[in-house]
PDB file of all heavy atoms in Angstrom:
ATOM      1  N   LEU A 239     -19.490  -7.964  -1.187  1.00 98.00           N
ATOM      2  CA  LEU A 239     -19.642  -8.048   0.261  1.00 98.00           C
ATOM      3  C   LEU A 239     -20.987  -8.665   0.664  1.00 98.00           C
ATOM      4  O   LEU A 239     -21.172  -9.073   1.819  1.00 98.00           O
ATOM      5  CB  LEU A 239     -19.525  -6.628   0.864  1.00 98.00           C
ATOM      6  CG  LEU A 239     -19.628  -6.469   2.380  1.00 98.00           C
ATOM      7  CD1 LEU A 239     -18.526  -7.243   3.101  1.00 98.00           C
ATOM      8  CD2 LEU A 239     -19.575  -4.991   2.760  1.00 98.00           C
ATOM      9  N   ARG A 240     -21.915  -8.795  -0.268  1.00 97.00           N
ATOM     10  CA  ARG A 240     -23.276  -9.235   0.037  1.00 97.00           C
ATOM     11  C   ARG A 240     -23.355 -10.534   0.855  1.00 97.00           C
ATOM     12  O   ARG A 240     -24.177 -10.634   1.776  1.00 97.00           O
ATOM     13  CB  ARG A 240     -24.077  -9.385  -1.253  1.00 97.00           C
ATOM     14  CG  ARG A 240     -24.716  -8.100  -1.724  1.00 97.00           C
ATOM     15  CD  ARG A 240     -25.867  -7.711  -0.815  1.00 97.00           C
ATOM     16  NE  ARG A 240     -26.359  -6.362  -1.092  1.00 97.00           N
ATOM     17  CZ  ARG A 240     -27.401  -5.834  -0.500  1.00 97.00           C
ATOM     18  NH1 ARG A 240     -28.061  -6.513   0.425  1.00 97.00           N
ATOM     19  NH2 ARG A 240     -27.787  -4.613  -0.782  1.00 97.00           N
ATOM     20  N   PRO A 241     -22.540 -11.569   0.573  1.00 97.00           N
ATOM     21  CA  PRO A 241     -22.645 -12.791   1.377  1.00 97.00           C
ATOM     22  C   PRO A 241     -22.403 -12.556   2.868  1.00 97.00           C
ATOM     23  O   PRO A 241     -22.923 -13.295   3.710  1.00 97.00           O
ATOM     24  CB  PRO A 241     -21.577 -13.717   0.780  1.00 97.00           C
ATOM     25  CG  PRO A 241     -21.436 -13.235  -0.628  1.00 97.00           C
ATOM     26  CD  PRO A 241     -21.588 -11.746  -0.555  1.00 97.00           C
ATOM     27  N   ASN A 242     -21.595 -11.559   3.192  1.00 97.00           N
ATOM     28  CA  ASN A 242     -21.299 -11.259   4.596  1.00 97.00           C
ATOM     29  C   ASN A 242     -22.276 -10.276   5.209  1.00 97.00           C
ATOM     30  O   ASN A 242     -22.364 -10.153   6.434  1.00 97.00           O
ATOM     31  CB  ASN A 242     -19.889 -10.686   4.733  1.00 97.00           C
ATOM     32  CG  ASN A 242     -18.810 -11.739   4.638  1.00 97.00           C
ATOM     33  OD1 ASN A 242     -19.094 -12.873   4.263  1.00 97.00           O
ATOM     34  ND2 ASN A 242     -17.581 -11.388   4.961  1.00 97.00           N
ATOM     35  N   LEU A 243     -23.005  -9.554   4.372  1.00 97.00           N
ATOM     36  CA  LEU A 243     -23.769  -8.403   4.828  1.00 97.00           C
ATOM     37  C   LEU A 243     -25.134  -8.803   5.395  1.00 97.00           C
ATOM     38  O   LEU A 243     -25.935  -9.444   4.721  1.00 97.00           O
ATOM     39  CB  LEU A 243     -23.963  -7.430   3.670  1.00 97.00           C
ATOM     40  CG  LEU A 243     -24.462  -6.032   4.016  1.00 97.00           C
ATOM     41  CD1 LEU A 243     -23.480  -5.313   4.926  1.00 97.00           C
ATOM     42  CD2 LEU A 243     -24.682  -5.229   2.736  1.00 97.00           C
ATOM     43  N   ARG A 244     -25.374  -8.388   6.643  1.00 96.00           N
ATOM     44  CA  ARG A 244     -26.689  -8.599   7.247  1.00 96.00           C
ATOM     45  C   ARG A 244     -27.604  -7.405   6.995  1.00 96.00           C
ATOM     46  O   ARG A 244     -28.823  -7.562   6.940  1.00 96.00           O
ATOM     47  CB  ARG A 244     -26.542  -8.831   8.747  1.00 96.00           C
ATOM     48  CG  ARG A 244     -27.855  -9.200   9.414  1.00 96.00           C
ATOM     49  CD  ARG A 244     -27.645  -9.831  10.765  1.00 96.00           C
ATOM     50  NE  ARG A 244     -28.902 -10.298  11.331  1.00 96.00           N
ATOM     51  CZ  ARG A 244     -29.011 -10.961  12.468  1.00 96.00           C
ATOM     52  NH1 ARG A 244     -27.908 -11.265  13.157  1.00 96.00           N
ATOM     53  NH2 ARG A 244     -30.174 -11.357  12.908  1.00 96.00           N
ATOM     54  N   GLY A 245     -27.017  -6.211   6.880  1.00 95.00           N
ATOM     55  CA  GLY A 245     -27.858  -5.060   6.606  1.00 95.00           C
ATOM     56  C   GLY A 245     -27.110  -3.748   6.670  1.00 95.00           C
ATOM     57  O   GLY A 245     -25.891  -3.692   6.904  1.00 95.00           O
ATOM     58  N   PHE A 246     -27.865  -2.670   6.419  1.00 95.00           N
ATOM     59  CA  PHE A 246     -27.369  -1.302   6.506  1.00 95.00           C
ATOM     60  C   PHE A 246     -27.989  -0.683   7.754  1.00 95.00           C
ATOM     61  O   PHE A 246     -29.214  -0.647   7.893  1.00 95.00           O
ATOM     62  CB  PHE A 246     -27.799  -0.491   5.276  1.00 95.00           C
ATOM     63  CG  PHE A 246     -27.260  -1.022   3.973  1.00 95.00           C
ATOM     64  CD1 PHE A 246     -27.908  -2.056   3.310  1.00 95.00           C
ATOM     65  CD2 PHE A 246     -26.108  -0.484   3.418  1.00 95.00           C
ATOM     66  CE1 PHE A 246     -27.427  -2.548   2.109  1.00 95.00           C
ATOM     67  CE2 PHE A 246     -25.614  -0.971   2.218  1.00 95.00           C
ATOM     68  CZ  PHE A 246     -26.265  -2.007   1.565  1.00 95.00           C
ATOM     69  N   SER A 247     -27.170  -0.186   8.650  1.00 91.00           N
ATOM     70  CA  SER A 247     -27.688   0.402   9.884  1.00 91.00           C
ATOM     71  C   SER A 247     -26.665   1.359  10.465  1.00 91.00           C
ATOM     72  O   SER A 247     -25.489   1.031  10.580  1.00 91.00           O
ATOM     73  CB  SER A 247     -28.002  -0.685  10.915  1.00 91.00           C
ATOM     74  OG  SER A 247     -28.334  -0.105  12.166  1.00 91.00           O
ATOM     75  N   SER A 248     -27.144   2.547  10.861  1.00 86.00           N
ATOM     76  CA  SER A 248     -26.271   3.510  11.518  1.00 86.00           C
ATOM     77  C   SER A 248     -26.349   3.413  13.032  1.00 86.00           C
ATOM     78  O   SER A 248     -25.745   4.211  13.738  1.00 86.00           O
ATOM     79  CB  SER A 248     -26.602   4.934  11.053  1.00 86.00           C
ATOM     80  OG  SER A 248     -26.318   5.072   9.676  1.00 86.00           O
ATOM     81  N   ASP A 249     -27.084   2.435  13.542  1.00 84.00           N
ATOM     82  CA  ASP A 249     -27.138   2.184  14.980  1.00 84.00           C
ATOM     83  C   ASP A 249     -26.071   1.155  15.327  1.00 84.00           C
ATOM     84  O   ASP A 249     -26.349   0.083  15.840  1.00 84.00           O
ATOM     85  CB  ASP A 249     -28.526   1.692  15.378  1.00 84.00           C
ATOM     86  CG  ASP A 249     -28.782   1.807  16.877  1.00 84.00           C
ATOM     87  OD1 ASP A 249     -27.905   2.351  17.574  1.00 84.00           O
ATOM     88  OD2 ASP A 249     -29.835   1.355  17.323  1.00 84.00           O
ATOM     89  N   SER A 250     -24.828   1.545  15.038  1.00 81.00           N
ATOM     90  CA  SER A 250     -23.747   0.563  15.039  1.00 81.00           C
ATOM     91  C   SER A 250     -23.495  -0.065  16.396  1.00 81.00           C
ATOM     92  O   SER A 250     -23.337  -1.285  16.508  1.00 81.00           O
ATOM     93  CB  SER A 250     -22.463   1.204  14.504  1.00 81.00           C
ATOM     94  OG  SER A 250     -22.174   2.422  15.172  1.00 81.00           O
ATOM     95  N   TYR A 251     -23.469   0.738  17.457  1.00 82.00           N
ATOM     96  CA  TYR A 251     -23.069   0.111  18.710  1.00 82.00           C
ATOM     97  C   TYR A 251     -24.173  -0.746  19.312  1.00 82.00           C
ATOM     98  O   TYR A 251     -23.891  -1.747  19.968  1.00 82.00           O
ATOM     99  CB  TYR A 251     -22.488   1.110  19.693  1.00 82.00           C
ATOM    100  CG  TYR A 251     -23.388   2.024  20.484  1.00 82.00           C
ATOM    101  CD1 TYR A 251     -24.278   1.540  21.428  1.00 82.00           C
ATOM    102  CD2 TYR A 251     -23.263   3.399  20.360  1.00 82.00           C
ATOM    103  CE1 TYR A 251     -25.049   2.382  22.205  1.00 82.00           C
ATOM    104  CE2 TYR A 251     -24.024   4.259  21.138  1.00 82.00           C
ATOM    105  CZ  TYR A 251     -24.913   3.746  22.057  1.00 82.00           C
ATOM    106  OH  TYR A 251     -25.656   4.592  22.826  1.00 82.00           O
ATOM    107  N   ASN A 252     -25.438  -0.411  19.081  1.00 87.00           N
ATOM    108  CA  ASN A 252     -26.496  -1.296  19.581  1.00 87.00           C
ATOM    109  C   ASN A 252     -26.485  -2.638  18.864  1.00 87.00           C
ATOM    110  O   ASN A 252     -26.779  -3.674  19.456  1.00 87.00           O
ATOM    111  CB  ASN A 252     -27.866  -0.621  19.443  1.00 87.00           C
ATOM    112  CG  ASN A 252     -28.218   0.199  20.667  1.00 87.00           C
ATOM    113  OD1 ASN A 252     -27.832  -0.149  21.778  1.00 87.00           O
ATOM    114  ND2 ASN A 252     -28.923   1.295  20.466  1.00 87.00           N
ATOM    115  N   ASN A 253     -26.137  -2.628  17.582  1.00 90.00           N
ATOM    116  CA  ASN A 253     -26.027  -3.899  16.858  1.00 90.00           C
ATOM    117  C   ASN A 253     -24.946  -4.782  17.461  1.00 90.00           C
ATOM    118  O   ASN A 253     -25.108  -5.998  17.549  1.00 90.00           O
ATOM    119  CB  ASN A 253     -25.752  -3.641  15.376  1.00 90.00           C
ATOM    120  CG  ASN A 253     -26.976  -3.163  14.627  1.00 90.00           C
ATOM    121  OD1 ASN A 253     -28.096  -3.562  14.941  1.00 90.00           O
ATOM    122  ND2 ASN A 253     -26.780  -2.303  13.648  1.00 90.00           N
ATOM    123  N   LEU A 254     -23.838  -4.180  17.887  1.00 92.00           N
ATOM    124  CA  LEU A 254     -22.785  -4.957  18.539  1.00 92.00           C
ATOM    125  C   LEU A 254     -23.211  -5.408  19.933  1.00 92.00           C
ATOM    126  O   LEU A 254     -22.998  -6.557  20.322  1.00 92.00           O
ATOM    127  CB  LEU A 254     -21.497  -4.140  18.632  1.00 92.00           C
ATOM    128  CG  LEU A 254     -20.683  -3.960  17.354  1.00 92.00           C
ATOM    129  CD1 LEU A 254     -19.451  -3.104  17.638  1.00 92.00           C
ATOM    130  CD2 LEU A 254     -20.250  -5.305  16.770  1.00 92.00           C
ATOM    131  N   LEU A 255     -23.804  -4.502  20.695  1.00 91.00           N
ATOM    132  CA  LEU A 255     -24.199  -4.830  22.070  1.00 91.00           C
ATOM    133  C   LEU A 255     -25.176  -6.001  22.122  1.00 91.00           C
ATOM    134  O   LEU A 255     -25.061  -6.876  22.978  1.00 91.00           O
ATOM    135  CB  LEU A 255     -24.834  -3.608  22.732  1.00 91.00           C
ATOM    136  CG  LEU A 255     -23.898  -2.521  23.250  1.00 91.00           C
ATOM    137  CD1 LEU A 255     -24.699  -1.311  23.701  1.00 91.00           C
ATOM    138  CD2 LEU A 255     -23.034  -3.034  24.398  1.00 91.00           C
ATOM    139  N   THR A 256     -26.120  -6.012  21.206  1.00 91.00           N
ATOM    140  CA  THR A 256     -27.154  -7.057  21.212  1.00 91.00           C
ATOM    141  C   THR A 256     -26.703  -8.342  20.549  1.00 91.00           C
ATOM    142  O   THR A 256     -27.390  -9.360  20.635  1.00 91.00           O
ATOM    143  CB  THR A 256     -28.415  -6.557  20.495  1.00 91.00           C
ATOM    144  OG1 THR A 256     -28.092  -6.267  19.128  1.00 91.00           O
ATOM    145  CG2 THR A 256     -28.973  -5.306  21.168  1.00 91.00           C
ATOM    146  N   GLY A 257     -25.548  -8.301  19.864  1.00 91.00           N
ATOM    147  CA  GLY A 257     -25.104  -9.473  19.125  1.00 91.00           C
ATOM    148  C   GLY A 257     -25.739  -9.576  17.758  1.00 91.00           C
ATOM    149  O   GLY A 257     -25.541 -10.573  17.048  1.00 91.00           O
ATOM    150  N   ASN A 258     -26.510  -8.568  17.370  1.00 92.00           N
ATOM    151  CA  ASN A 258     -27.102  -8.555  16.036  1.00 92.00           C
ATOM    152  C   ASN A 258     -26.017  -8.524  14.965  1.00 92.00           C
ATOM    153  O   ASN A 258     -26.212  -8.999  13.856  1.00 92.00           O
ATOM    154  CB  ASN A 258     -28.023  -7.337  15.904  1.00 92.00           C
ATOM    155  CG  ASN A 258     -29.036  -7.480  14.791  1.00 92.00           C
ATOM    156  OD1 ASN A 258     -29.438  -8.584  14.453  1.00 92.00           O
ATOM    157  ND2 ASN A 258     -29.449  -6.363  14.214  1.00 92.00           N
ATOM    158  N   ALA A 259     -24.885  -7.956  15.326  1.00 94.00           N
ATOM    159  CA  ALA A 259     -23.711  -7.942  14.441  1.00 94.00           C
ATOM    160  C   ALA A 259     -22.512  -8.473  15.206  1.00 94.00           C
ATOM    161  O   ALA A 259     -22.392  -8.267  16.415  1.00 94.00           O
ATOM    162  CB  ALA A 259     -23.432  -6.518  13.967  1.00 94.00           C
ATOM    163  N   VAL A 260     -21.626  -9.146  14.503  1.00 96.00           N
ATOM    164  CA  VAL A 260     -20.334  -9.480  15.096  1.00 96.00           C
ATOM    165  C   VAL A 260     -19.257  -8.556  14.544  1.00 96.00           C
ATOM    166  O   VAL A 260     -18.157  -8.485  15.095  1.00 96.00           O
ATOM    167  CB  VAL A 260     -19.937 -10.951  14.862  1.00 96.00           C
ATOM    168  CG1 VAL A 260     -20.931 -11.876  15.529  1.00 96.00           C
ATOM    169  CG2 VAL A 260     -19.804 -11.268  13.385  1.00 96.00           C
ATOM    170  N   MET A 261     -19.588  -7.817  13.477  1.00 97.00           N
ATOM    171  CA  MET A 261     -18.669  -6.832  12.920  1.00 97.00           C
ATOM    172  C   MET A 261     -19.505  -5.748  12.249  1.00 97.00           C
ATOM    173  O   MET A 261     -20.533  -6.037  11.636  1.00 97.00           O
ATOM    174  CB  MET A 261     -17.712  -7.464  11.898  1.00 97.00           C
ATOM    175  CG  MET A 261     -16.636  -6.517  11.383  1.00 97.00           C
ATOM    176  SD  MET A 261     -15.539  -7.322  10.171  1.00 97.00           S
ATOM    177  CE  MET A 261     -14.680  -8.497  11.238  1.00 97.00           C
ATOM    178  N   THR A 262     -19.068  -4.492  12.389  1.00 97.00           N
ATOM    179  CA  THR A 262     -19.808  -3.396  11.798  1.00 97.00           C
ATOM    180  C   THR A 262     -18.902  -2.230  11.474  1.00 97.00           C
ATOM    181  O   THR A 262     -17.919  -1.981  12.183  1.00 97.00           O
ATOM    182  CB  THR A 262     -20.941  -2.923  12.748  1.00 97.00           C
ATOM    183  OG1 THR A 262     -21.714  -1.912  12.101  1.00 97.00           O
ATOM    184  CG2 THR A 262     -20.392  -2.366  14.047  1.00 97.00           C
ATOM    185  N   GLN A 263     -19.213  -1.555  10.406  1.00 97.00           N
ATOM    186  CA  GLN A 263     -18.620  -0.253  10.150  1.00 97.00           C
ATOM    187  C   GLN A 263     -19.178   0.695  11.202  1.00 97.00           C
ATOM    188  O   GLN A 263     -20.369   0.656  11.509  1.00 97.00           O
ATOM    189  CB  GLN A 263     -18.988   0.214   8.749  1.00 97.00           C
ATOM    190  CG  GLN A 263     -18.326   1.511   8.311  1.00 97.00           C
ATOM    191  CD  GLN A 263     -18.878   1.994   6.976  1.00 97.00           C
ATOM    192  OE1 GLN A 263     -19.988   1.633   6.583  1.00 97.00           O
ATOM    193  NE2 GLN A 263     -18.112   2.814   6.270  1.00 97.00           N
ATOM    194  N   ALA A 264     -18.325   1.549  11.791  1.00 95.00           N
ATOM    195  CA  ALA A 264     -18.796   2.349  12.926  1.00 95.00           C
ATOM    196  C   ALA A 264     -18.051   3.664  13.019  1.00 95.00           C
ATOM    197  O   ALA A 264     -16.871   3.759  12.679  1.00 95.00           O
ATOM    198  CB  ALA A 264     -18.613   1.570  14.230  1.00 95.00           C
ATOM    199  N   TRP A 265     -18.770   4.685  13.497  1.00 94.00           N
ATOM    200  CA  TRP A 265     -18.130   5.955  13.828  1.00 94.00           C
ATOM    201  C   TRP A 265     -17.407   5.820  15.160  1.00 94.00           C
ATOM    202  O   TRP A 265     -17.911   5.212  16.103  1.00 94.00           O
ATOM    203  CB  TRP A 265     -19.170   7.060  13.908  1.00 94.00           C
ATOM    204  CG  TRP A 265     -19.690   7.491  12.576  1.00 94.00           C
ATOM    205  CD1 TRP A 265     -18.987   8.061  11.560  1.00 94.00           C
ATOM    206  CD2 TRP A 265     -21.038   7.379  12.101  1.00 94.00           C
ATOM    207  NE1 TRP A 265     -19.814   8.316  10.483  1.00 94.00           N
ATOM    208  CE2 TRP A 265     -21.074   7.915  10.782  1.00 94.00           C
ATOM    209  CE3 TRP A 265     -22.231   6.888  12.658  1.00 94.00           C
ATOM    210  CZ2 TRP A 265     -22.240   7.962  10.024  1.00 94.00           C
ATOM    211  CZ3 TRP A 265     -23.389   6.946  11.904  1.00 94.00           C
ATOM    212  CH2 TRP A 265     -23.390   7.485  10.599  1.00 94.00           C
ATOM    213  N   SER A 266     -16.228   6.413  15.237  1.00 94.00           N
ATOM    214  CA  SER A 266     -15.410   6.304  16.444  1.00 94.00           C
ATOM    215  C   SER A 266     -16.143   6.818  17.677  1.00 94.00           C
ATOM    216  O   SER A 266     -16.069   6.213  18.756  1.00 94.00           O
ATOM    217  CB  SER A 266     -14.094   7.066  16.252  1.00 94.00           C
ATOM    218  OG  SER A 266     -14.324   8.432  15.906  1.00 94.00           O
ATOM    219  N   GLY A 267     -16.870   7.919  17.537  1.00 91.00           N
ATOM    220  CA  GLY A 267     -17.570   8.468  18.688  1.00 91.00           C
ATOM    221  C   GLY A 267     -18.662   7.564  19.213  1.00 91.00           C
ATOM    222  O   GLY A 267     -18.900   7.491  20.423  1.00 91.00           O
ATOM    223  N   ASP A 268     -19.333   6.846  18.310  1.00 90.00           N
ATOM    224  CA  ASP A 268     -20.366   5.915  18.750  1.00 90.00           C
ATOM    225  C   ASP A 268     -19.756   4.712  19.467  1.00 90.00           C
ATOM    226  O   ASP A 268     -20.345   4.170  20.406  1.00 90.00           O
ATOM    227  CB  ASP A 268     -21.221   5.456  17.571  1.00 90.00           C
ATOM    228  CG  ASP A 268     -22.235   6.515  17.162  1.00 90.00           C
ATOM    229  OD1 ASP A 268     -22.305   7.559  17.835  1.00 90.00           O
ATOM    230  OD2 ASP A 268     -22.956   6.304  16.174  1.00 90.00           O
TER     231      ASP A 268
END
Side-chain angles (χ1 to χ4, degrees):
L239 181 61
R240 274 289 170 175
N242 283 11
L243 193 61
R244 186 162 186 176
F246 298 84
S247 172
S248 295
D249 197 5
S250 51
Y251 78 65
N252 271 328
N253 285 327
L254 285 179
L255 281 172
T256 62
N258 200 29
V260 297
M261 186 180 292
T262 184
Q263 185 187 23
W265 286 297
S266 56
D268 282 357

